[in-house]
Amino acid sequence: MNWRENLLAMAFNLSLYANTPMPDALSMPVSLAESFFKSKPFEDWGKSREAEAKAKAEIAGRINGVIRAIGALAKSLPKG
């Protein structure tokens, strides 16, 4: 990537992950933006998001298991 693409990518990431308006993100020094993404609070936020996603996946897996069990139960019941 060239410097322009890097700058735009950094600005887009700031807009997405830091709720920074695009004009502010574009005017922010690259060193400050890089510091934000390397910071402990951003790392903690990322871990929090991963934990959230894992919890949602576990819930979906449990619901899927219940649906399978209901399907198996419906198949085992006598028709009529």
Side-chain angles (χ1 to χ4, degrees):
M1 272 203 285
N2 63 30
W3 67 269
R4 185 173 187 273
E5 290 173 348
N6 285 339
L7 182 64
L8 285 174
M10 187 69 69
F12 294 150
N13 285 333
L14 280 170
S15 284
L16 290 170
Y17 299 117
N19 296 322
T20 305
M22 197 61 172
D24 293 344
L26 286 168
S27 66
M28 185 178 292
V30 173
S31 61
L32 183 59
E34 287 175 342
S35 294
F36 169 76
F37 289 113
K38 292 178 182 175
S39 70
K40 175 83 168 111
F42 183 74
E43 181 183 330
D44 292 344
W45 176 82
K47 288 178 183 177
S48 169
R49 295 290 302 234
E50 286 178 23
E52 251 181 66
K54 184 177 178 183
K56 288 178 183 178
E58 289 174 1
I59 290 169
R62 289 180 184 148
I63 291 172
N64 200 22
V66 169
I67 292 169
R68 277 196 208 112
I70 291 172
L73 180 62
K75 287 179 182 178
S76 68
L77 292 175
K79 296 182 182 176

